[in-house]
Amino acid sequence: NAGVMQNPRHLVRRRGQEARLRCSPMKGHSHVYWYRQLPEEGLKFMVYLQKENIIDESGMPKERFSAEFPKEGPSILRIQQVVRGDSAAYFCASSPVAGTTDTQYFGPGTRLTVL
Amino acid sequence: KNEVEQSPQNLTAQEGEFITINCSYSVGISALHWLQQHPGGGIVSLFMLSSGKKKHGRLIATINIQEKHSSLHITASHPRDSAVYICAVKGAQKLVFGQGTRLTINP
């Protein structure tokens, strides 16, 4: 049973370009969470999605960031017109259900560098 | 003041020592997680607690809901335990993270 997969593992973009980060949850998991870890800072919640629905996006910046989790395929975190401050590690996690005591399983992360 | 506070921020110890990392939180929670992040950056979930105590190998995690406090203990520490240990609390759905404790175990 493969774990949570993220790709790419490393992504380099120039300012103004778009970044697309992909997350494939563990098999049987229908809940996905995205987190951001800025350099020398702790992890911060960004968004929580179920299949085809955004449940909580309270941690998403208001502009340039969007997330989706379609019926088929991976969850996508999209950052438009990237700026240097977007450079960070982006982690996704998945869980099988939304119960309050369910463990979240983390992917290896995507390290985004904006030049 | 952060909702989740960890102490110490950095900890260096000799191989074999007993390690304790503390986590205090100020919000109501449904569960508390302890995570391990290795130098390569990957994150592993060690424990999820909603009450009492859990043990896995040399790791022990405890939580006191009334005092809003949790501890992670490592017995007979080893250099391979060197990592950042992160406490995260869960309310309704999302996790709120502490800043992490950087642990270095010297041989």
Side-chain angles (χ1 to χ4, degrees):
Chain A
N1 186 10
V4 178
M5 295 195 291
Q6 290 187 248
N7 68 81
R9 296 289 303 275
H10 299 273
L11 181 61
V12 179
R13 285 287 178 265
R14 295 192 180 280
R15 280 180 298 169
Q17 290 184 319
E18 179 179 286
R20 279 183 178 241
L21 288 61
R22 294 174 186 79
C23 170
S24 296
M26 287 180 70
K27 188 177 180 181
H29 288 194
S30 57
H31 300 263
V32 166
Y33 309 80
W34 284 95
Y35 301 97
R36 179 166 67 173
Q37 188 174 39
L38 293 167
E40 304 303 320
E41 291 191 22
L43 287 153
K44 295 280 195 300
F45 168 80
M46 297 183 77
V47 62
Y48 160 44
L49 309 106
Q50 294 178 28
K51 286 281 187 182
E52 300 183 279
N53 286 302
I54 297 173
I55 306 303
D56 183 348
E57 56 181 347
S58 58
M60 288 278 270
K62 293 288 185 277
E63 297 177 348
R64 302 188 297 107
F65 284 71
S66 62
E68 63 177 9
F69 188 15
K71 188 176 180 182
E72 302 290 339
S75 176
I76 306 285
L77 179 68
R78 182 182 178 206
I79 312 172
Q80 295 178 289
Q81 297 176 315
V82 295
V83 301
R84 288 218 174 102
D86 297 332
S87 295
Y90 292 83
F91 291 92
C92 84
S94 73
S95 66
V97 293
T100 54
T101 55
D102 276 319
T103 296
Q104 294 183 18
Y105 297 85
F106 284 79
T110 293
R111 276 145 192 84
L112 172 66
T113 301
V114 180
L115 301 178
Chain B
K1 189 177 187 300
N2 292 331
E3 291 176 299
V4 183
E5 295 276 355
Q6 286 185 237
S7 63
Q9 287 190 311
N10 294 283
L11 179 57
T12 300
Q14 291 299 121
E15 183 173 357
E17 286 189 39
F18 181 81
I19 303 298
T20 296
I21 299 170
N22 296 300
C23 174
S24 296
Y25 53 92
S26 57
V27 294
I29 67 167
S30 57
L32 182 144
H33 295 248
W34 281 102
L35 309 170
Q36 181 191 56
Q37 186 171 27
H38 272 283
I43 297 172
V44 175
S45 181
L46 298 174
F47 293 104
M48 185 182 61
L49 295 160
S50 52
S51 64
K53 176 180 174 179
K54 285 190 175 180
K55 185 175 188 293
H56 185 257
R58 295 180 294 105
L59 301 177
I60 303 165
T62 63
I63 187 168
N64 185 318
I65 298 292
Q66 286 73 31
E67 294 185 6
K68 294 188 175 178
H69 180 268
S70 175
S71 293
L72 176 69
H73 305 285
I74 304 175
T75 61
S77 59
H78 190 276
R80 65 174 174 265
D81 297 326
S82 298
V84 175
Y85 292 83
I86 302 168
C87 168
V89 300
K90 188 174 186 187
Q93 289 159 346
K94 65 186 183 187
L95 291 176
V96 178
F97 299 86
Q99 287 294 97
T101 294
R102 186 174 299 277
L103 174 65
T104 303
I105 304 295
N106 293 319

